[in-house]
Amino acid sequence: MGTVVDDAASAEFRAFFERHYAELSRLAHLLTGEPDAADDLAADALLALWHRWDRVRAADHPAAYARGVVANLARTRVRSAVRERRRVALFWSQREERTENPDVPGVVDVQEALRRLPFRKRACVVLRHAFDLSERDTALALGVSVGTVKSQTSKAMAELQRLLGTRHVPQRVRVAMVRTGEAGGRNR
């Protein structure tokens, strides 16, 4: 019963695909500047169109609808790439620092306490106190809100104070990360 409609829809989509795939791929390439990603974005857009094919084929301008889907996917990809570049830039922008005569047992204690924290709390503490990033820069680096950075850092610091039994956690974190070369990202 439904096979006739399904076969007709499938044939229409196949014809649409063949007629517009190259154009959509070219559009994706021009929007992202990434020739390798263009085919993937066009394919992802066409897959999304297939899932909504009943609505797309009823639209006044299905090709325009398809171009909009490609543009939205390209925008998402570009934004994601920008966020990733910011994270990398923030990570590597910090200078490497060294501490003279560090308290090695203290460093080991801090590292162990940090390992016990969930990733997001640990990342907030390390970026804020070992890398001296602002709340905003930490939020950008982690792809979260400033409020999340504030709450996760506060909770993590309370947990570290409980684990380490000291109020000087920010300084101990900084010393521990500088000592191991983690704050600068490289050992020399």
Side-chain angles (χ1 to χ4, degrees):
M1 296 187 232
T3 344
V4 174
V5 174
D6 292 344
D7 288 345
S10 182
E12 283 179 24
F13 181 77
R14 204 170 309 121
F16 183 87
F17 180 96
E18 290 171 4
R19 197 168 42 252
H20 296 287
Y21 178 78
E23 170 197 351
L24 296 175
S25 181
R26 189 171 69 246
L27 175 62
H29 177 225
L30 292 171
L31 291 175
T32 63
E34 300 176 23
D36 296 337
D39 285 336
D40 291 342
L41 285 175
D44 289 346
L46 286 162
L47 178 62
L49 292 173
W50 171 244
H51 288 296
R52 288 175 268 176
W53 186 243
D54 287 341
R55 279 187 278 166
V56 174
R57 72 195 252 206
D60 290 335
H61 303 287
Y65 186 90
R67 287 185 210 105
V69 172
V70 169
N72 286 333
L73 289 172
R75 180 181 314 118
T76 300
R77 183 173 184 89
V78 168
R79 285 181 179 165
S80 178
V82 167
R83 279 193 306 270
E84 184 62 25
R85 286 184 193 117
R86 283 183 185 152
R87 288 180 189 132
V88 169
L90 285 172
F91 181 79
W92 290 109
S93 68
Q94 302 300 311
R95 303 188 305 271
E96 185 171 340
E97 301 170 21
R98 293 285 178 183
T99 302
E100 295 296 320
N101 303 319
D103 173 18
V104 175
V107 169
V108 172
D109 290 345
V110 170
Q111 289 175 339
E112 181 56 35
L114 283 169
R115 277 190 212 100
R116 294 178 68 184
L117 295 176
F119 174 78
R120 186 176 285 174
K121 288 180 183 176
R122 181 173 56 238
C124 286
V125 168
V126 170
L127 290 172
R128 293 279 295 125
H129 296 288
F131 283 83
D132 288 327
L133 293 186
S134 68
E135 289 167 341
R136 182 179 172 276
D137 288 341
T138 301
L140 280 172
L142 297 175
V144 297
S145 71
V146 171
T148 298
V149 170
K150 288 179 181 181
S151 69
Q152 293 293 296
T153 302
S154 175
K155 290 174 184 175
M157 294 303 286
E159 182 67 13
L160 287 173
Q161 286 175 352
R162 186 185 68 70
L163 290 169
L164 297 170
T166 180
R167 293 198 168 288
H168 305 290
V169 172
Q171 295 88 345
R172 289 187 70 184
V173 168
R174 183 160 190 50
V175 168
M177 295 300 104
V178 169
R179 172 65 182 127
T180 60
E182 292 177 26
R186 298 179 282 245
N187 284 323
R188 287 195 181 158

